[in-house]
Structure formats: structure tokens, C-alpha cells
Amino acid sequence: MAPRGRGESGRAGRTPPRRAISPSLRVALLEWRARVRKPGAWQQRKLVKPNGKTRHLLVPVPALKKVLRELNRDLLAPLDRHPASFCRRGRGVLLAVRGHQAHPALLHRDIADFFPSVRPWQVNDALKRCGFDVHDAALITAVVTTDQQLPQGSPASVTVGNLVLRSLDIRLSALAKQSGLTYTRYVDDIVVSGGEGRLVTDEPLIDQIIEDCGWRCGSEKGKLYPPSHYREVLGVSVGGAAKPGHKSRQKIEDAERKLHDGTLTLADCASLLHWRDSVTALGEELDKESASSLTKEPVSPISPVVESSPAAGP
């Protein structure tokens, strides 16, 4: 379903500084603008997820991937700065989870078919809002998009997607601040947490903002989780001690079992075990912070009681 909203186009605000493409990168982009239109620049891949569903990827050939990595690192990533936006260097899963850990209720939404739904005109508009002129925005758009979509599998697509979703971040962040809630977005996963009553009241507004910005919510993850319900954010349980969620624990236990019997090597599951250790460390850190906050509460002074013994006498 193609997004319908205009996003941030026409929104009043200060003019961003002019962005410029370096001469060497411009040469590479100009070369690939002609080449990406021909077959062979992008390769189709299928990724079967643990739930059995298939994710279709469009992966750039190595030479194009190198250019996209340079474009992302040197030019696009520094523009991705909205505080609610995660999945970027220095702002990963654990930092996103941390903001929701102490809240009693949680609302989860995901944008359906996000990457295939992003159209080149939206990318172009987002780049112009970031300060690129008409020609440079069109040049970058031509290289980072293909087949009228933002390819899932490109090293630049998450950053570009974050720039496209900035208007959504601005509106949902404003609503969350007004209502005393916490809002985060990790690519297409939207999480708002806080008091259950406030979330129930704001749920229709949240859905309306998402729709107004031109996106459609998926039905699989769109739920409101009350305090009595098990809550999980990005594979980490929240509402108690931070630890890997149900599905993540199953993956970890399976990897540990295969590691023990020699089916997998340490290198095969190193990233998963590192993530497990990072979640455990986050839980310990939050426990320490909670204990520290309790010790800082004011305590009424109590005068010591001196018991006199019979032998002491006056």
C-alpha cells in the first residue's frame, strides 16, 4: 500500500543548512545513477524468519554497496538525529528499551511493509528538507531507491527510512510529551509507554497520526499491554528485571545447546551471546540504579536508645 500522506512537506520551520556532496562521492553517484537502471545492480534474496515467514531483500552488488556505505557514513547518518529514532550508531536496542523499563503499560505498533512502501518522492522530499538542493536530492534518490521502493538490504536504507519518518517522530514525540508518555521508534517498530489510562485515551490519536503521515499499521504487533500482561520491547522483557524475552531466550538456549554439542562454533553464535550478556548487564545496571534511588529517599532521624543495665546504677 503506497503511503498517502505528505509527511513534513510544507511544514513551517527554519531552513536547514545547505548540504553538499563531496566531489569523489558525486562522481561515484553519477556513475551509479546510470547503472542502477540496468539489470544486475540489485540482487534478490530471500530470508526465512524463525516464524516461517519469508522476507524479500534487495541487496546491492559489492561495488554499489561500497558507494552506499560511504554515502551513509559520510553524508546521511549525521543527519539522522531525532531523539526518538533508534537503530543507528550509538542508539541501539538497549537504549530504546531503557526508556520503557519502568512504565506500567505499553502500546506497540509496527508499520506494515515499511521499506517496500517508501516511494522515491518521499525520499526526495526528506533529502530536500535536510538541506540538499533539488539536483543533489534527485541524484541521491536515484541511487538509494530501486523499483519504486526503498530496498531492504541496502546499507543506506535504515538511515534513509529514519529521515523519511522524521515527521512521524516529531508528531508522536509531541503527543507523548504532552501526555507524559515515552515514545521510541526502531525502524518500523513503534512503542509508546506510560500509564494505562493515558495510553487508552491516546491510542486513537496515535493511530490517527500514523495514518495521517501516510502509513498503515500491521495487525500482528498492534496491541496495548496492561500492567498485568507480559511486556516485551525489541526482544527484551520490560516491566521487571531486564532480560531476554521469550523468543530471544529460546534462540539463546538453542544456540547454547548446539554450542555444547558441537553443532555450532563460538564464532557462529558470538553475536547472539554478546547480545544476551548486554541485556543481562542492562538489567544489573537498572537494578543498581533502582537500589540507589531507594537509598536516597529521606529517612527520619531516629535517636539511639541506650538501655541501662542493673549494674550501672545512677
Side-chain angles (χ1 to χ4, degrees):
M1 176 178 177
R4 301 179 301 277
R6 291 182 60 203
E8 251 181 314
S9 298
R11 185 179 61 87
R14 60 188 181 87
T15 303
R18 173 74 180 273
R19 309 292 177 184
I21 304 175
S22 68
S24 60
L25 182 56
R26 182 182 299 279
V27 170
L29 291 174
L30 287 169
E31 177 186 350
W32 276 103
R33 181 172 63 178
R35 294 175 62 182
V36 291
R37 299 174 184 175
K38 301 176 182 179
W42 298 89
Q43 300 172 341
Q44 293 188 359
R45 302 274 177 83
K46 290 184 179 180
L47 177 66
V48 180
K49 299 194 289 186
N51 60 9
K53 294 185 177 181
T54 302
R55 177 176 292 170
H56 297 275
L57 305 179
L58 284 170
V59 180
V61 295
L64 175 56
K65 181 182 289 187
K66 181 180 179 182
V67 173
L68 290 170
R69 281 178 174 164
E70 180 182 353
L71 172 67
N72 185 63
R73 181 189 67 241
D74 298 342
L75 203 57
L76 301 181
L79 306 177
D80 181 12
R81 293 176 179 170
H82 195 280
S85 168
F86 291 82
C87 195
R88 52 194 171 100
R89 185 177 295 276
R91 294 179 65 78
V93 168
L94 298 185
L95 189 60
V97 168
R98 187 185 186 98
H100 302 287
Q101 185 63 28
H103 293 176
L106 182 147
L107 177 70
H108 191 191
R109 293 289 188 269
D110 75 306
I111 300 173
D113 302 319
F114 172 62
F115 288 100
S117 296
V118 178
R119 299 292 176 253
W121 68 264
Q122 292 175 293
V123 176
N124 193 298
D125 281 358
L127 292 171
K128 287 188 289 187
R129 289 195 299 269
C130 289
F132 294 99
D133 66 26
V134 174
H135 303 291
D136 285 352
L139 174 60
I140 295 172
T141 299
V143 178
V144 300
T145 62
T146 183
D147 196 23
Q148 290 298 303
Q149 63 181 283
L150 188 61
Q152 188 171 9
S154 163
S157 285
V158 169
T159 301
V160 174
N162 285 341
L163 298 179
V164 169
L165 289 172
R166 183 173 290 176
S167 58
L168 178 68
D169 291 336
I170 290 171
R171 293 186 62 182
L172 287 180
S173 292
L175 176 63
K177 182 177 181 181
Q178 177 183 337
S179 300
L181 302 171
T182 295
Y183 160 69
T184 62
R185 180 184 55 77
Y186 191 91
V187 192
D188 56 358
D189 276 74
I190 294 168
V191 178
V192 185
S193 66
E196 182 180 8
R198 189 72 257 181
L199 282 174
V200 170
T201 300
D202 284 357
E203 184 175 11
L205 296 175
I206 292 169
D207 290 340
Q208 187 62 53
I209 289 173
I210 295 172
E211 183 177 350
D212 286 348
C213 288
W215 309 105
R216 179 170 58 88
C217 289
S219 57
E220 183 179 345
K221 301 177 183 178
K223 296 180 181 178
L224 196 159
Y225 300 91
S228 59
H229 198 284
Y230 171 77
R231 304 186 299 286
E232 188 174 309
V233 175
L234 301 172
V236 181
S237 65
V238 297
K243 55 186 179 182
H246 292 332
K247 292 181 180 180
S248 299
R249 285 205 303 273
Q250 292 174 2
K251 293 180 184 177
I252 292 169
E253 291 169 1
D254 183 56
E256 289 174 335
R257 184 167 54 253
K258 291 180 178 179
L259 183 62
H260 184 264
D261 63 23
T263 308
L264 290 177
T265 65
L266 187 59
D268 293 328
C269 49
S271 60
L272 182 61
L273 298 181
H274 174 72
W275 182 80
R276 174 204 61 187
D277 296 340
S278 299
V279 174
T280 301
L282 172 65
E284 293 173 352
E285 183 180 346
L286 291 172
D287 288 343
K288 289 180 182 178
E289 290 178 1
S290 177
S292 175
S293 65
L294 290 175
T295 59
K296 292 179 181 178
E297 291 181 1
V299 179
S300 300
I302 301 177
S303 302
V305 177
V306 179
E307 296 183 358
S308 57
S309 65

